[in-house]
Amino acid sequence: MDSVWRAAAIYIGLMIIMRLAGKRSLAQITTFDFVLLLIIGEATQNALLGQDFSVTNAMLVIITLVTLDIGLSLLKRRSKRIDKWLDDVPLVIVEDGVPLKERMDKARVDVDDVLSAARHLQGIERLDQIRYAVLERSGGISIIPKKNAS
Amino acid sequence: MTARKSSNTDSSGGAEGRARVNPFGEDWGFQVREWRLERIGWAVMVVIIVAALSGVLGGGGLVARTTVADAAGSTEVRYARFARYASPTTLHINLAASASGRPIRLRVSDRYLSEMNVRAITPPPTSTAIADRQHVFVFERSAQPASATIRFELEPTAIGRHLGWIAVDEAAPLTFTQLIYP
């Protein structure tokens, strides 16, 4: 019984914290994001397993986590609202080469991030070559170049 | 769809506040709500950290430990007000110097001990006994007067408020409460 509650509590707790951290926080943009991810994993481990190192416990924890994940994915398919709360919505941050400053501030993204994504994904070097830059739900930035970009 | 439209036109207005619903599936109203909640969440996390630093969440800190003593000051129990499930916590019982060379009979609520794993008692008691709703630990004492500290290393096995009491010999029990976090 313990294992199931533990796993559920950790799952829900982590989900809330990750959502509060925002789209960008753990999108593995910097090396430190990756390190942070590892540390969170380590910190979670003991609380997940407790002092019970049996195979039964490990399997129970895994089954609980996977079942919760499946359950939530089913819920998300059913309700757009839940989907948004759990997985966020995309956000346009550059439109026709113009950065939408207020949005970028709120989402803690700067022009350098956009340009970096533009170079990386489209080989674009200037902001005015971008038609749209979208901060995706996953935290990545996708770039749609202008048609006549050269 | 109409609900979405109305929620999309609120907030700051202007070019920034206009939702780009197509083709990206943006939801400005939701986004603004989310940002607001996000900020509240950050504040809550800071509050949690401050609370943890102060000791309210257990694990040491200014308010984490406290003492209860009898009127004469001959017995004092120092305990963690806040502790955590399955994490070690210590209980110190300080005894003032006493002239008698008689053994110390330390009585502890058995209900309290039933919610704790006793990992160690230092010094180890010379004998233990079970009495009415209590465990009795007997410690030998040297003939010369000397103050002493008896240490119980405990591990909570239940979550919530634990009520405990400790008494020395026939003195009135010193009661204390601990809150155990999951």
Side-chain angles (χ1 to χ4, degrees), chain B residues 12 156-157:
Chain B
S12 60
T157 55

Side-chain angles (χ1 to χ4, degrees), chain A:
Chain A
M1 183 195 83
D2 227 26
S3 326
V4 175
W5 288 124
R6 262 171 208 282
I10 296 273
Y11 186 97
I12 293 165
L14 271 183
M15 174 177 278
I16 292 170
I17 294 170
M18 290 302 138
R19 282 294 274 123
L20 288 177
K23 293 195 236 301
R24 291 288 281 171
S25 289
L26 286 179
Q28 296 196 22
I29 298 136
T30 63
T31 318
F32 192 73
D33 289 333
F34 176 66
V35 175
L36 196 60
L37 205 65
L38 285 181
I39 296 171
I40 292 171
E42 286 287 317
T44 314
Q45 190 187 352
N46 290 331
L48 264 182
L49 295 180
Q51 282 156 341
D52 183 349
F53 299 120
S54 62
V55 174
T56 311
N57 186 37
M59 285 301 152
L60 260 178
V61 166
I62 293 169
I63 289 170
T64 308
L65 291 176
V66 172
T67 308
L68 271 174
D69 210 53
I70 295 169
L72 283 183
S73 70
L74 290 175
L75 269 179
K76 282 188 255 182
R77 286 175 62 86
R78 232 184 234 186
S79 157
K80 197 83 197 127
R81 219 177 130 80
I82 293 172
D83 182 36
K84 281 176 184 171
W85 280 114
L86 293 179
D87 275 354
D88 217 337
V89 291
L91 180 72
V92 175
I93 47 177
V94 174
E95 193 176 41
D96 292 324
V98 181
L100 303 170
K101 272 281 171 231
E102 191 194 323
R103 290 170 169 226
M104 289 171 78
D105 285 347
K106 278 275 178 62
R108 287 167 292 145
V109 184
D110 53 30
V111 174
D112 291 340
D113 294 333
V114 176
L115 283 175
S116 156
R119 284 194 298 274
H120 188 69
L121 301 170
Q122 300 283 347
I124 283 175
E125 54 199 26
R126 292 191 318 275
L127 214 51
D128 59 46
Q129 295 168 307
I130 298 173
R131 178 147 177 253
Y132 285 114
V134 183
L135 180 56
E136 299 291 354
R137 312 195 320 167
S138 61
I141 297 173
S142 52
I143 304 287
I144 298 162
K146 283 186 181 165
K147 285 271 160 26
N148 57 357
S150 55

